């Protein structure tokens, strides 16, 4: 910076008395060529101060350009557009990250040490009479719902909802979700009855039943509350009280999130799909 | 005629089994029961009857037909359950209205039977 200025100053000292303004102007043009746009000390001499440095502003090629710059200041459509685009991009990115972190927190709340464990090993039979354990669920997400075939209102509604949720998820990620219905009423819901019942909701549902103790262990593992009335005589009708959440389980068999009555099928399916997108481990399909 | 008679007894037997809770109702049977229930509840609403168990005489007088249809199409346990549910649901809605009037914050909770999108 200093090097080009020194000879200029010398030049200035010689020529300044005769044509100060012109010289200064020329000097500025040379200064621009050598990438110094700072006012040189010579131009700030008392003589110079009477002539304002108007010329310094003329860094435009055309008058139009200068006029346009004068009107709009440093703002231009290009700069404005770039600003808005960058802002929108950043906003979108932060929102995405925020949602992802929120889901991650939910998903990981049940992982690790000191967390309540929901889910676990079980040994039941399907509506086709085949054995089915927790190992059959590994490698895929599963949606577990507890209910019973004599359920008056909530279970059938929720099963219809589960069917719609399953269809939406299937359309986007085929074979990654296993919908499971576990009966809380094993005394009446044998495989044949389950099969008939579930066929009215979705052919893809897996219905699970077992002995009373097996079901009780399963419900305990999933922290599901259910109560069969005591002292039921054979052939007598009864209702079963039970929890009405869908349990979303990850491919390692860990609990992810409970989906409830407040979620519409679309909302629930979106939550499931978002968790699937976050999953970094292996996934079975088909 | 014999065939028709056979069918009608078969149907009647099925309906009786559903009422007794011997078999779980199918989707169509559930739908029929729910419609009968809604008809009965609409009649109770029209006659300002909240609890059809406590006010059984008034209910029987005002909504005899609807009540009979309800009991015919639903399992006995369901009839009792829905009647109790009605009382609870009305109380819940009243309480919610009270809270809302006091400036409570409404949360998205679905208590009715209408299916959501």
């Amino acid at each position: 910076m200093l090097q080009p200025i020194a000879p200029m100053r010398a030049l200035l000292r010689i020529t300044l008395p005769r044509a100060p303004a012109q010289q200064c102007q020329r000097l500025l043009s040379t200064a621009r060529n050598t990438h110094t746009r700072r006012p040189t000390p010579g131009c700030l001499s008392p003589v110079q101060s009477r002539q304002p440095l108007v010329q310094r502003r003329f860094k435009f090629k055309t008058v139009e350009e200068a006029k346009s710059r004068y009107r709009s200041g440093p703002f231009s459509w290009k700069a404005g557009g770039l600003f808005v685009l960058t802002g929108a991009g950043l906003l979108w990115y932060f929102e995405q990250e925020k949602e992802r972190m929120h889901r991650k927190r939910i998903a990981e709340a049940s992982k690790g040490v000191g967390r309540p464990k929901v889910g676990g090993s079980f040994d039941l039979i399907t509506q086709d009479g085949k054995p089915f354990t927790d190992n059959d669920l590994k490698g895929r997400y599963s949606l577990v719902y507890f209910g019973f075939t004599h359920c008056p209102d909530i279970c059938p509604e929720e099963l219809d909802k589960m069917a719609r949720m399953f269809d939406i998820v299937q359309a986007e990620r085929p074979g990654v979700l296993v919908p499971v219905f576990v009966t809380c009423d094993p005394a009446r819901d044998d495989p044949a009855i389950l099969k008939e019942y579930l066929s009215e909701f979705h052919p893809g549902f897996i219905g699970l039943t077992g002995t009373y103790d097996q079901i009780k262990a399963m419900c305990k593992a999933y922290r599901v509350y259910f109560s069969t009335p005591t002292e039921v005589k054979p052939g007598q009708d009864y209702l079963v009280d039970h929890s009405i959440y869908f349990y979303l389980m990850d491919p390692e068999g860990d609990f992810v999130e409970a989906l409830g009555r407040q979620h519409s099928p679309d909302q629930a399916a979106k939550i499931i799909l978002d968790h699937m997108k976050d999953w970094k481990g292996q996934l079975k399909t088909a | 005629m014999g065939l028709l008679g056979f069918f009608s007894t078969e149907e009647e037997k099925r309906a009786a089994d559903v009422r007794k809770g011997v078999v779980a109702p199918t989707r169509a049977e559930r739908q029929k029961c729910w419609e009968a229930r809604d008809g009965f509840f609409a009649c109770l609403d029209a006659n300002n009857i909240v609890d059809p168990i406590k006010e059984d005489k008034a209910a029987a007088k005002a909504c005899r037909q609807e009540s009979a249809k309800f009991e015919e199409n639903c399992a006995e346990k369901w009839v009792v359950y829905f009647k109790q549910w009605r009382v609870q649901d009305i109380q819940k809605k009243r309480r919610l209205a009270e809270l809302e009037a006091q400036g409570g914050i409404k949360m998205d909770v679905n208590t009715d039977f209408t299916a959501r999108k």
Side-chain angles (χ1 to χ4, degrees):
Chain A
M1 274 309 250
L2 279 170
Q3 271 173 342
I5 289 171
M8 277 178 232
R9 213 182 266 164
L11 185 76
L12 198 74
R13 234 174 266 133
I14 303 158
T15 51
L16 199 65
R18 267 170 250 164
Q22 271 172 358
Q23 268 311 319
C24 200
Q25 192 183 340
R26 229 177 71 192
L27 186 75
L28 275 163
S29 64
T30 51
R32 205 168 54 210
N33 291 343
T34 52
H35 306 288
T36 38
R37 281 152 76 177
R38 269 189 202 171
T40 50
C43 286
L44 296 173
S45 63
V47 190
Q48 248 311 291
S49 62
R50 256 182 282 136
Q51 289 276 337
L53 287 166
V54 192
Q55 290 91 339
R56 272 211 69 226
R57 293 205 188 148
F58 294 168
K59 49 185 177 187
F60 309 105
K61 290 191 187 87
T62 61
V63 178
E64 282 75 24
E65 206 179 317
K67 273 185 180 165
S68 143
R69 179 64 188 258
Y70 176 75
R71 267 201 306 273
S72 61
F75 182 83
S76 75
W77 286 116
K78 218 192 269 174
L82 206 64
F83 173 76
V84 170
L85 263 171
T86 314
L90 279 174
L91 197 72
W92 179 82
Y93 175 74
F94 281 125
E95 283 299 313
Q96 289 284 311
E97 277 299 287
K98 209 168 92 185
E99 273 173 34
R100 199 179 62 83
M101 290 311 286
H102 179 67
R103 286 198 302 272
K104 206 177 158 196
R105 257 204 309 282
I106 291 172
E108 285 184 354
S110 50
K111 292 220 180 225
V113 187
R115 301 291 181 190
K117 179 83 181 154
V118 177
S121 58
F122 60 85
D123 192 357
L124 300 168
I125 51 170
T126 66
Q127 72 263 52
D128 295 317
K130 290 182 189 130
F132 197 92
T133 69
D134 51 306
N135 279 325
D136 294 305
L137 292 178
K138 298 274 166 74
R140 293 189 184 92
Y141 273 87
S142 49
L143 194 62
V144 185
Y145 187 71
F146 294 81
F148 64 112
T149 60
H150 285 256
C151 182
D153 49 3
I154 294 166
C155 324
E157 268 177 24
E158 292 296 273
L159 282 175
D160 274 335
K161 204 168 101 174
M162 187 160 153
R164 288 204 292 276
M165 265 152 71
F166 180 51
D167 281 337
I168 299 169
V169 175
Q170 274 294 91
E172 222 161 292
R173 300 287 298 265
V176 182
L177 184 71
V178 185
V180 181
F181 175 82
V182 184
T183 180
C184 295
D185 188 11
R188 285 189 296 190
D189 293 346
D190 60 29
I193 287 173
L194 267 186
K195 194 180 169 87
E196 200 190 326
Y197 183 70
L198 290 177
S199 68
E200 286 198 306
F201 292 99
H202 201 292
F205 283 177
I206 291 174
L208 297 179
T209 185
T211 65
Y212 180 80
D213 289 330
Q214 283 171 328
I215 292 292
K216 202 178 164 189
M218 170 91 180
C219 288
K220 200 180 169 195
Y222 276 77
R223 303 291 190 269
V224 167
Y225 155 83
F226 84 108
S227 81
T228 324
T230 47
E231 295 166 35
V232 178
K233 293 181 195 86
Q236 196 184 338
D237 192 14
Y238 56 89
L239 301 180
V240 183
D241 245 350
H242 64 91
S243 312
I244 49 162
Y245 281 109
F246 297 104
Y247 293 79
L248 181 64
M249 311 298 288
D250 76 15
E252 284 167 1
D254 285 315
F255 170 73
V256 181
E257 196 168 346
L259 303 167
R261 298 266 286 161
Q262 73 272 24
H263 296 105
S264 73
D266 291 331
Q267 288 169 328
K270 192 187 174 298
I271 292 171
I272 296 169
L273 285 167
D274 284 346
H275 278 299
M276 284 178 175
K277 271 176 216 149
D278 294 342
W279 185 254
K280 297 281 185 286
Q282 290 224 313
L283 274 178
K284 276 191 216 168
T285 49
Chain B
M1 209 60 203
L3 197 66
L4 207 72
F6 174 77
F7 269 124
S8 96
T9 51
E10 192 76 343
E11 249 171 54
E12 273 166 24
K13 192 185 172 297
R14 169 83 197 177
D17 280 352
V18 169
R19 277 197 295 276
K20 287 279 166 209
V22 179
V23 291
T26 61
R27 181 182 289 274
E29 284 160 348
R30 268 199 309 272
Q31 201 55 47
K32 242 168 116 182
C33 165
W34 290 352
E35 276 162 22
R37 171 201 67 196
D38 292 342
F40 178 56
F41 284 1
C43 174
L44 293 178
D45 285 341
N47 289 283
N48 286 317
I49 300 167
V50 172
D51 190 341
I53 296 171
K54 269 188 197 160
E55 301 166 70
D56 55 345
K57 281 193 187 112
K61 202 176 159 210
C63 309
R64 184 177 298 280
Q65 271 194 336
E66 288 86 350
S67 174
K69 201 181 167 204
F70 182 33
E71 280 171 25
E72 192 188 305
N73 288 298
C74 296
E76 284 164 21
K77 283 280 166 186
W78 288 27
V79 170
V80 177
Y81 166 80
F82 281 134
K83 283 176 178 173
Q84 288 169 344
W85 176 88
R86 173 183 164 83
V87 179
Q88 283 178 10
D89 191 55
I90 288 173
Q91 282 170 352
K92 188 156 64 185
K93 278 178 180 152
R94 270 185 199 159
R95 184 80 188 110
L96 279 175
E98 265 173 47
L99 287 170
E100 220 167 317
Q102 287 165 15
I105 297 158
K106 198 174 184 318
M107 287 177 69
D108 184 22
V109 177
N110 184 28
T111 61
D112 55 27
F113 289 119
T114 49
R116 308 183 82 191
K117 269 195 289 166

